[in-house]
Amino acid sequence: MGQSLGCVQVKQSNVAVREQFGKFDGVLEPGLHCMPWCFGYKVAGELTLRVRQLQVHCESKTKDNMFVKVVASIHYRPFPDKIPDAFYKLLNADSQIRAYVFDVIRETVPKLELDTVFEQKSDIAKAVQKELAKAMYDYGFEIVQTLIVDIAPHIVVMNAMHEINAAARKRLVAEEKGEEEKILKIKRAEGEAESRHLVGLGIARQSQAIIGGLKDSVLDCFTEIMLKRG
């Protein structure tokens, strides 16, 4: 915004608040405006109509007594038709929004267990969005979007979770290894049984061959004796 010879230039995507003798007198759109300072006119300040982003970090305790840090991303902007409210009613919009986010998260998260907090991340965001939209409307601000961008358990909880996951993986590996050894033992036993079966078949066939040979020898001797007698 520039001011020279009673003229004021408002930049694109901004609006300016005009006062006369300290009293609100109107909203100036982007462009060049005549501001005769001799009649008490002045620009009290500007507001951007662009969407602003605010990240809020909040710590809370879950229902199962786990501490987590929740990071919410709030996108907001002033309503074009409520510029006086947005300019005069709040000294610091970010601080007000941050306070409402704290209230909603610290009211919602303690009702949920840690696993459920992760599962209901979108529900938490909707709860924050609903409360903020209702509260900030009176101050002239629109809550465009609310996102829960991160949920991080306390470092002690994370270490414990890593240890549990590591133990579970070790147990799974041990089970798989035991199953593998069991399969190998079964295969070895089956191989040994098959080997013994084949050896037994060989011995049986060998015995049958011997018995067959002896039978043939006896028959030959008997035949020879009968021929001699005859």
Side-chain angles (χ1 to χ4, degrees), residues 60-66 103-114 116-117 120 124 127:
S60 184
K61 187 169 69 171
T62 63
K63 187 177 181 180
D64 46 353
N65 295 320
M66 299 293 183
D103 286 344
V104 176
I105 290 178
R106 288 173 176 170
E107 180 182 355
T108 305
V109 171
K111 298 177 183 178
L112 306 173
E113 294 184 350
L114 180 60
T116 309
V117 172
Q120 297 189 9
I124 297 173

Side-chain angles (χ1 to χ4, degrees), residues 192-204:
E192 292 175 359
E194 182 66 20
S195 177
R196 288 194 295 269
H197 175 66
L198 293 176
V199 170
L201 286 177
I203 294 173

Side-chain angles (χ1 to χ4, degrees), residues 8 10 14-18 26-31 33-35 42-43:
V8 172
V10 182
N14 284 13
V15 291
V17 175
R18 183 179 62 194
V27 176
L28 303 180
E29 302 290 338
H33 300 271
C34 180
M35 292 283 293
K42 73 171 185 176
V43 172

Side-chain angles (χ1 to χ4, degrees), residues 132-145:
L132 276 180
K134 181 174 62 176
M136 296 304 294
Y137 178 82
D138 292 335
Y139 294 108
F141 286 94
E142 174 190 8
I143 305 301
V144 179
Q145 188 177 33

